[in-house]
């Protein structure tokens, strides 16, 4: 099935560093969603973006809806050990019968 | 508001058996989506139900089926279990209409097939 290109696939960083990850697509989306999943749990919604160019923050997390509507970025500032997990992006479009298209995830490890 | 609940949380079945998993969405949500997740494979979309009708379907064999009840609760069934069906099965609740595409996940059901 269709998937978003999410990169990087994995990251290993030092506590306190900033993190950037992104998702790209050949299709246009009306919505970009960012989730975090802890081991053995369901993904938790971090940020929802609904407007091209929109920049939204949630604590140390900041996400942007790309102006072309084909990409989105997530930044984490001053990482801490509890940021460890897998981050997923998802794109939504009414033309796709509201079915979300998902990236394969970015696995983040933080060295204290 | 109560979150999404899934039962059971853990399940061990034998190859060839069938299994039914249950999902109760957030109150007021009319859409339930089901995903299969295996290690390193991301979220594989199974199907989505909206107002008791299957609205979207992924690329899984017919052994995987689902349904939704009038109270929006949903069940998925896997018949003739195979070893490869061992996975975390997640359901996600969503309003299902309007401009809100946000999905809220339950904790998942961990299925092990032996």
């Amino acid at each position: 099935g269709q998937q978003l290109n999410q990169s990087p696939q994995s990251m290993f960083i030092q506590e306190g560093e900033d993190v950037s990850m992104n998702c790209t697509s050949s299709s246009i989306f009306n919505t970009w969603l960012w989730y975090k999943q802890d081991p053995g749990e369901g993904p938790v919604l971090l940020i929802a973006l609904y407007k091209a160019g929109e920049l939204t923050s949630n604590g140390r997390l900041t996400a942007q809806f790309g102006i072309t509507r084909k990409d989105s970025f997530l930044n984490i500032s001053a990482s801490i050990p509890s940021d460890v997990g897998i981050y997923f992006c998802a794109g939504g479009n009414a033309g796709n019968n509201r079915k979300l298209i998902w990236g394969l995830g970015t696995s983040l490890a933080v060295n204290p | 508001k109560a979150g999404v609940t899934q039962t059971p949380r853990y399940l061990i079945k034998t190859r060839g058996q069938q299994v039914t998993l249950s999902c109760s969405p957030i109150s007021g949500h009319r859409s339930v989506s089901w995903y299969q997740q295996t290690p390193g494979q991301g979220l594989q979309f199974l199907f989505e139900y909206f107002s008791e009708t299957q609205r979207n379907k992924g690329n899984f064999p017919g052994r995987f089926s689902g349904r939704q009840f009038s109270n929006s609760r949903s069940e998925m069934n896997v018949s003739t279990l195979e070893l490869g069906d061992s996975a975390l099965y997640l359901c996600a609740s969503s309003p299902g209409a309007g401009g809100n595409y946000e999905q809220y996940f339950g904790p998942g059901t961990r299925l092990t097939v032996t």
Side-chain angles (χ1 to χ4, degrees), chain A residues 28-96:
Chain A
I28 289 174
F29 290 107
N30 295 329
T31 297
W32 284 93
L33 306 172
W34 285 92
Y35 289 82
K36 181 194 177 206
Q37 185 178 28
D38 291 329
E41 300 293 330
V44 173
L45 180 64
L46 298 173
I47 293 178
L49 301 161
Y50 285 96
K51 192 175 176 182
E54 179 183 0
L55 189 71
T56 297
S57 293
N58 178 4
R60 294 178 296 105
L61 277 61
T62 301
Q64 184 163 24
F65 192 140
I67 198 72
T68 64
R69 295 167 64 195
K70 293 182 179 181
D71 56 9
S72 181
F73 306 86
L74 176 69
N75 295 315
I76 305 173
S77 63
S79 59
I80 59 178
S82 62
D83 290 333
V84 165
I86 302 177
Y87 292 80
F88 291 99
C89 62
N93 190 328
N96 205 29

Side-chain angles (χ1 to χ4, degrees), chain B residues 2 8 15 22 25 30-31 42 44 46 57 61-62 72 74 78 80 87 96 108 112:
Chain B
R15 194 169 46 183
S22 180
R30 294 160 62 193
S31 167
Q44 302 298 312
L46 283 154
K57 189 176 187 305
S72 293
S74 177
V78 187
T80 318
T112 302

Side-chain angles (χ1 to χ4, degrees), chain B:
Chain B
K1 236 184 200 180
V4 179
T5 58
Q6 290 187 246
T7 56
R9 289 293 310 275
Y10 303 93
L11 205 49
I12 299 175
K13 289 287 189 179
T14 303
R15 194 169 46 183
Q17 289 185 315
Q18 73 165 15
V19 67
T20 299
L21 312 181
S22 180
C23 174
S24 291
I26 292 170
S27 177
H29 284 188
R30 294 160 62 193
S31 167
V32 173
S33 297
W34 288 91
Y35 296 87
Q36 181 195 66
Q37 188 177 35
T38 51
Q41 288 300 311
L43 298 166
Q44 302 298 312
F45 175 73
L46 283 154
F47 31 67
E48 181 215 2
Y49 286 86
F50 175 73
S51 293
E52 301 180 66
T53 300
Q54 187 180 84
R55 180 160 68 178
N56 285 299
K57 189 176 187 305
N59 298 320
F60 277 80
R63 299 186 298 108
F64 293 82
S65 62
R67 59 177 176 168
Q68 187 179 35
F69 302 96
S70 59
N71 63 357
S72 293
R73 190 177 69 84
S74 177
E75 290 181 345
M76 69 162 280
N77 185 78
V78 187
S79 63
T80 318
L81 284 165
E82 300 177 359
L83 295 178
D85 297 333
S86 294
L88 180 66
Y89 289 87
L90 294 159
C91 82
S93 162
S94 172
N100 187 338
Y101 290 78
E102 298 164 23
Q103 292 186 3
Y104 296 89
F105 285 83
T109 294
R110 170 74 62 186
L111 172 65
T112 302
V113 182
T114 62

